[in-house]
Amino acid sequence: MKESTKKKSFMDRYIDGFMKWMPESLFICFILTFIVIMMAVLMTDSPFIGTEKTGGIIYGWVNGFWGLLSFAMQMTVLLATGNAVASSPPAHKMFRFLAKLPKTRVQVFVFSVIVGSLFGFLHWGLGMMVAIVFGKELLVQARQKGIKIHTPLFVATLFFTFLPATSGLSGAAVLYSATPNYLKNSVADSYKALVPESVPLTSSVLNIQFISLLIVCMLVPLFFALFIHPKDQGKIVELDQEVYQSSLESSAALSIPRRTPAEKMNASPLVMYITGSLIFGYSLYHFSRVGLSGLDLNSFNFLFLGLGLLLCGQEGPEYYGSLFKNGVMSSWGLVLQFPFYAGIFGIIQTTGLGLEISHFFVSISNGTSWPVLAYIYSALLNIAVPSGGSKFVIEAPYIIPASIEVGNDLGKILQAYQLGDATTNLIVPFWALSYLSHFKLKFNQIVAYTIPCVLVVSVIIILYLFLI
């Protein structure tokens, strides 16, 4: 039978349909705004336009529109500082050294999962860049040693390390919840007295139970990759030749111009080391006083800013600025879309829609089922809105009250919320784009490997949430 007349597989039809019908995130952002407005009209008695005195749907939207500018900047800096740290010369040297250690295909996959998961748990932006940079080095070294690696399967496994990354310490939900008074300011006045001032990371993602769950989850794609890896040498798709060549060239020594006085100042290590030491040193001092429970978005970004300056110190301010710029360029969606999500948040707060939604969830759940429902709900909504930070801003006004009503621990609900995001992140193209572009692959080349693992991991997570 000719290739052109072959019937498409279920997976091919799924990918074609997904790519044909799923619009861009900005369109979905607009649609969500309309949906929330309609929900407020149908579920509340707030006036449509309204004033400062009476409140109202449009008034709440406009009044809240610029309420997330600080948060948008924090998330932009989070991504940019992570990119700078992962791309710094010392980091590159470390990854090159580590990539030379694996001697077999099994070791290559194991190293990729361990390193990507560890760095991702600390900082999702850093974890993404580490997985990509270290993954390239692993494939380059494997190719030089004659170890054949099926690149789509390897990249799918790398991509799966995004699960502990978006479930970990830098998740917007847990960091914002650890910020004093954030949760209190997110809920209606009737719940403020019941909501804690903050939920420390040690109560959400920084505990042995949750970390053990993540380790078990990451064993799933690892064992799947080792089991499913093509045995037929002819079916193995190795690293793209252009990517291989560019990776070899990027390992060459950097040449920073230091001829003119201006160039010498732009490449000055002294100012980098002084500034970086002040920032990084104070961050360590701060954490020694307050502990990891004081790790919020601002302190986290401050720490990684200082670390990045120190790691790029020898190259100077201009070099660090270029790395930071690359990270900022990829975060334009945050700047554009977050005001619309803030407007949605304004509607929910002003009209009392958050209370109505929380009452609905309380009515269909109890202390045992609510964590699982929160996980499933977060996972499904994440397919349409693949941004944990903006989603949490919208959902916190009713997820937190609902958790209090049914008597659930907020730390466990935050776990469920972030895990919901993390699992469906792995079956939509939004977060995969960075991995795909760096390895010159298409989404349908890796999603066939992530979907079975996501199904198994989802079952494991649901069992965990029932048990706790």
Side-chain angles (χ1 to χ4, degrees):
M1 184 181 291
K2 293 183 180 180
E3 182 70 22
S4 59
T5 60
K6 282 186 178 179
K7 185 178 179 180
K8 285 188 176 182
S9 66
F10 168 78
M11 185 59 64
D12 289 336
R13 295 198 303 273
Y14 161 73
I15 295 299
D16 290 345
F18 188 92
M19 302 304 286
K20 180 179 180 180
W21 289 100
M22 178 59 70
E24 292 288 342
S25 59
L26 183 59
F27 175 84
I28 295 171
C29 179
F30 295 155
I31 294 300
L32 277 176
T33 302
F34 301 147
I35 290 174
V36 172
I37 289 175
M38 288 304 300
M39 289 176 65
V41 170
L42 297 174
M43 298 174 64
T44 73
D45 56 1
S46 293
F48 186 74
I49 302 295
T51 63
E52 182 178 359
K53 190 173 183 179
T54 64
I57 298 172
I58 300 302
Y59 171 80
W61 183 64
V62 174
N63 194 50
F65 198 80
W66 303 113
L68 282 183
L69 289 182
S70 176
F71 184 48
M73 178 60 74
Q74 287 172 318
M75 296 303 294
T76 300
V77 172
L78 180 76
L79 184 62
T81 53
N83 177 73
V85 170
S87 304
S88 64
H92 257 293
K93 291 180 181 179
M94 179 185 69
F95 296 144
R96 201 173 307 125
F97 169 77
L98 292 175
K100 292 179 180 179
L101 298 179
K103 306 299 182 185
T104 66
R105 179 189 298 150
V106 173
Q107 292 176 3
V108 170
F109 276 91
V110 171
F111 266 64
S112 68
V113 168
I114 291 176
V115 173
S117 299
L118 179 60
F119 280 94
F121 184 75
L122 295 174
H123 185 296
W124 70 265
L126 176 62
M128 176 186 287
M129 296 310 302
V130 165
I132 292 171
V133 173
F134 185 53
K136 283 183 183 179
E137 290 292 340
L138 282 170
L139 290 181
V140 168
Q141 294 297 325
R143 181 168 172 176
Q144 292 179 340
K145 295 174 184 175
I147 303 173
K148 287 187 173 292
I149 304 290
H150 187 51
T151 301
L153 178 58
F154 179 79
V155 174
T157 308
L158 276 183
F159 183 35
F160 221 94
T161 63
F162 202 54
L163 186 146
T166 47
S167 301
L169 296 176
S170 63
V174 295
L175 282 183
Y176 249 56
S177 297
T179 302
N181 294 317
Y182 176 81
L183 292 181
K184 282 183 176 292
N185 294 332
S186 299
V187 300
D189 291 339
S190 58
Y191 284 101
K192 289 186 185 296
L194 302 174
V195 175
E197 182 178 343
S198 65
V199 180
L201 295 176
T202 49
S203 297
S204 55
V205 296
L206 199 60
N207 63 76
I208 190 64
Q209 277 187 331
F210 186 71
I211 293 173
S212 298
L213 170 68
L214 294 181
I215 292 173
V216 172
C217 289
M218 288 313 301
L219 290 176
V220 174
L222 177 59
F223 285 131
F224 178 80
L226 299 179
F227 176 77
I228 206 73
H229 194 282
K231 306 296 188 293
D232 185 350
Q233 300 292 311
K235 293 183 179 179
I236 295 177
V237 178
E238 291 197 89
L239 181 64
D240 179 84
Q241 180 62 29
E242 185 179 341
V243 176
Y244 175 74
Q245 197 60 42
S246 64
S247 297
L248 291 178
E249 293 171 358
S250 67
S251 64
L254 292 168
S255 178
I256 306 298
R258 290 182 169 91
R259 297 181 299 271
T260 67
E263 288 177 344
K264 290 179 180 178
M265 286 185 283
N266 290 336
S268 169
L270 182 61
V271 295
M272 291 285 284
Y273 286 129
I274 292 176
T275 308
S277 296
L278 287 172
I279 295 174
F280 190 70
Y282 177 79
S283 297
L284 295 180
Y285 168 74
H286 171 71
F287 294 131
S288 70
R289 289 178 54 249
V290 301
L292 289 176
S293 60
L295 190 65
D296 57 22
L297 269 175
N298 287 333
S299 60
F300 198 94
N301 286 341
F302 203 56
L303 174 69
F304 270 80
L305 173 61
L307 178 60
L309 291 173
L310 291 175
L311 291 176
C312 298
Q314 192 60 37
E315 315 306 333
E318 185 176 5
Y319 177 82
Y320 179 82
S322 66
L323 297 182
F324 194 92
K325 177 183 176 181
N326 291 336
V328 172
M329 292 294 287
S330 63
S331 59
W332 63 268
L334 299 177
V335 179
L336 175 60
Q337 294 183 35
F338 268 36
F340 288 94
Y341 289 116
I344 293 173
F345 175 59
I347 295 173
I348 292 174
Q349 284 283 76
T350 303
T351 63
L353 179 60
L355 279 175
E356 296 297 327
I357 298 175
S358 67
H359 291 156
F360 168 75
F361 278 104
V362 169
S363 68
I364 64 170
S365 63
N366 54 47
T368 302
S369 63
W370 172 231
V372 176
L373 285 173
Y375 166 74
I376 294 173
Y377 171 74
S378 179
L380 292 176
L381 185 59
N382 185 62
I383 294 175
V385 192
S387 172
S390 54
K391 275 174 69 266
F392 185 69
V393 169
I394 298 171
E395 295 173 296
Y398 54 88
I399 281 184
I400 301 304
S403 302
I404 291 173
E405 292 256 0
V406 298
N408 274 134
D409 177 69
L410 290 182
K412 299 301 186 292
I413 297 302
L414 291 172
Q415 290 179 10
Y417 173 85
Q418 293 205 158
L419 286 167
D421 281 352
T423 48
T424 48
N425 277 341
L426 302 169
I427 59 173
V428 294
F430 186 87
W431 292 111
L433 294 177
S434 295
Y435 299 84
L436 299 175
S437 62
H438 280 86
F439 290 93
K440 292 190 177 299
L441 294 174
K442 296 180 179 179
F443 183 62
N444 58 5
Q445 290 180 276
I446 70 168
V447 73
Y449 300 117
T450 61
I451 285 179
C453 296
V454 165
L455 293 176
V456 175
V457 164
S458 297
V459 172
I460 294 172
I461 291 172
I462 288 174
L463 290 174
Y464 166 84
L465 293 173
F466 267 126
L467 290 175
I468 62 171

